[in-house]
């Protein structure tokens, strides 16, 4: 594969130096649902130039240069409990690449009930971000709402606890969102970071991390799936899944989605952490 590519020439057009055979090899891997990081590793170990890899996989060029600080829980040395907001929060699972940490008991049953009941009458159809603004799309069929920052004592203490847990200031977050997925609804795989257009034209603070907290348990389906990590986290009331992305780039391997809810319904609360140095509020 690598032998069919001219390498070491930086200013050439990558489209002209990549053979049809190589493109077909990549297409077959993608069609076979081979995780992106496995394809990336295989191409790099065969000596492909980064710009050729990005071209063939349709990834943006040059994205990897722009790394951000990211939130990170203090779990160095295998700590299994983190104290945050006066609570002991258990670490259930960690993964390095992509960075994913699953926590038990971030929220109490009372907090889960409160968030569901306080948001129920304020739900509206969820949107996705696009260059034309926020649009309703079949890839995201939940309903959602946003609490104001520290809208009430319960929301304030949850926001502070979640931020303390991952070592990030509440100043660099988005408002707390609650989502409801009725049966058969889903959120197809996507990246949580924003595209260049949203950040530059709309001055939206770039996201660098996500905490999804489960408020209830659907009977079947509704897991949070990390495609490149071949991992699915099943909703458990009070539990949270945290992941971070140090650049707005698919190489972060954070392509993830909310799987269809087959039976029952699903409620989650999400806190997004935004890039330091960019005002979020
Ligand atoms: O509901 C989920 O599990 C889920 C999965 C992926 C939610 C989001 N992304 C999100 O709100 O960004
Ligand atoms: Zn997401």
């Amino acid at each position: 594969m690598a032998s069919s590519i001219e390498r070491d020439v930086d200013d050439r057009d990558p489209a002209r130096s990549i053979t049809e055979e190589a493109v077909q090899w990549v297409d077959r891997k993608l069609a076979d649902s081979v995780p992106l990081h496995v394809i990336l590793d295989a191409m790099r170990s065969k000596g492909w130039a980064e710009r050729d890899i990005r071209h063939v996989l349709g990834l943006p060029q040059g994205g990897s240069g722009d790394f951000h600080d990211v939130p990170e829980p203090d779990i160095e040395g295998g700590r299994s409990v983190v104290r945050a907001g006066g609570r002991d929060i258990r670490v259930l699972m960690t993964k390095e690449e992509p960075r994913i940490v699953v926590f038990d008991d971030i929220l109490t049953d009372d907090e889960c009930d409160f968030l569901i009941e306080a948001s129920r009458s304020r739900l509206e159809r969820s949107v996705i971000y696009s260059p034309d603004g926020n649009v309703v799309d079949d890839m995201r069929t939940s309903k959602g709402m946003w609490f104001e920052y520290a809208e009430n004592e319960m929301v304030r203490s949850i926001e502070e606890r979640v931020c303390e847990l991952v070592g990030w200031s509440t100043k660099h977050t988005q408002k707390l969102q609650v989502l409801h997925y009725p049966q058969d609804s889903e959120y197809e795989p996507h990246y949580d970071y924003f595209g260049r257009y949203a950040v530059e034209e709309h001055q939206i603070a770039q996201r660098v991390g996500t905490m999804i907290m489960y408020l209830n348990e659907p009977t079947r389906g509704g897991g949070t799936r990390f495609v490149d990590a071949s991992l699915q986290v099943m909703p458990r009331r009070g539990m949270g899944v945290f992941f971070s992305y140090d650049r707005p780039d698919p190489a972060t391997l954070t392509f993830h989605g909310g799987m269809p809810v087959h039976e029952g319904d699903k409620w989650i609360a999400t806190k997004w952490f935004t890039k330091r140095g960019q005002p979020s509020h």
Side-chain angles (χ1 to χ4, degrees), residues 201-236:
E201 297 292 316
H202 293 289
Q203 311 269 293
I204 293 176
Q206 183 57 278
R207 290 173 175 166
V208 295
T210 307
M211 177 77 82
I212 294 173
M213 293 167 280
Y214 303 102
L215 307 180
N216 80 328
E217 294 164 19
T219 324
R220 209 159 56 82
T224 303
R225 177 172 171 234
F226 294 87
V227 179
D228 296 321
S230 304
L231 175 76
Q232 188 172 167
V233 179
M234 298 313 291
R236 187 183 134 96

Side-chain angles (χ1 to χ4, degrees), residues 140 187-188 190-192 207 210 212 243 254 256-258 270 272:
R140 191 179 194 195
Y187 191 178
E188 288 179 16
H190 58 274
Y191 298 98
D192 276 1
R207 290 173 175 166
T210 307
I212 294 173
F243 55 102
T254 54
H256 68 288
T270 308
W272 281 283

Side-chain angles (χ1 to χ4, degrees), residues 21-261:
E21 177 201 357
V23 172
Q24 282 171 6
W25 179 86
V26 169
D27 283 348
R28 273 201 308 278
K29 297 287 165 202
L30 291 172
D32 288 345
S33 300
V34 175
L36 189 60
H37 72 274
V38 174
I39 302 177
L40 282 168
D41 283 352
M43 294 170 92
R44 285 180 184 136
S45 70
K46 284 184 187 283
W48 279 61
E50 196 66 24
R51 58 176 281 136
D52 292 335
I53 296 175
R54 290 178 164 273
H55 180 79
V56 173
L57 290 172
L59 307 179
Q61 294 289 350
S64 56
D66 185 20
F67 288 90
H68 313 313
D69 281 345
V70 290
E72 173 65 11
D74 182 10
I75 51 175
E76 199 54 24
R79 280 174 71 179
S80 56
V81 175
V82 183
R83 191 141 184 97
R87 277 175 71 79
D88 284 334
I89 297 171
R90 269 182 183 287
V91 180
L92 294 183
M93 194 213 82
T94 69
K95 180 154 179 52
E96 280 174 23
E97 236 187 300
R99 185 51 160 162
I100 301 173
V101 183
V102 179
F103 296 101
D104 206 2
D105 291 334
I106 296 190
L107 301 179
T108 64
D109 285 351
D110 283 351
E111 287 169 335
C112 292
D113 288 341
F114 175 87
L115 291 177
I116 292 174
E117 291 317 320
S119 56
R120 202 182 281 279
S121 63
R122 293 164 63 179
L123 297 174
E124 288 177 13
R125 176 70 195 259
S126 299
V127 294
I128 57 167
Y129 296 91
S130 87
D132 306 325
N134 297 342
V135 292
V136 167
D137 191 288
D138 277 352
M139 79 169 281
R140 191 179 194 195
T141 47
S142 54
K143 287 187 170 181
M145 58 78 70
W146 300 87
F147 284 101
E148 291 304 318
Y149 291 108
E151 180 174 313
N152 52 54
E153 185 47 31
M154 194 79 100
V155 167
R156 189 197 58 75
S157 83
I158 292 168
E159 288 175 322
E160 286 186 358
R161 185 183 319 149
V162 168
C163 286
E164 190 181 336
L165 185 60
V166 300
W168 207 248
S169 163
T170 53
K171 285 203 180 89
H172 297 118
T173 63
Q174 287 187 273
K175 295 173 184 174
L176 186 69
Q177 185 187 59
V178 170
L179 285 188
H180 179 231
Y181 295 79
Q183 187 164 325
D184 296 327
S185 60
E186 66 180 313
Y187 191 178
E188 288 179 16
H190 58 274
Y191 298 98
D192 276 1
Y193 54 75
F194 296 114
R196 190 178 301 223
Y197 188 85
V199 175
E200 286 172 10
E201 297 292 316
H202 293 289
Q203 311 269 293
I204 293 176
Q206 183 57 278
R207 290 173 175 166
V208 295
T210 307
M211 177 77 82
I212 294 173
M213 293 167 280
Y214 303 102
L215 307 180
N216 80 328
E217 294 164 19
T219 324
R220 209 159 56 82
T224 303
R225 177 172 171 234
F226 294 87
V227 179
D228 296 321
S230 304
L231 175 76
Q232 188 172 167
V233 179
M234 298 313 291
R236 187 183 134 96
R237 186 171 160 94
M239 199 173 88
V241 53
F242 163 78
F243 55 102
S244 63
Y245 22 98
D246 58 11
R247 67 214 122 131
D249 192 304
T252 55
L253 307 178
T254 54
F255 196 54
H256 68 288
M259 299 298 285
V261 175

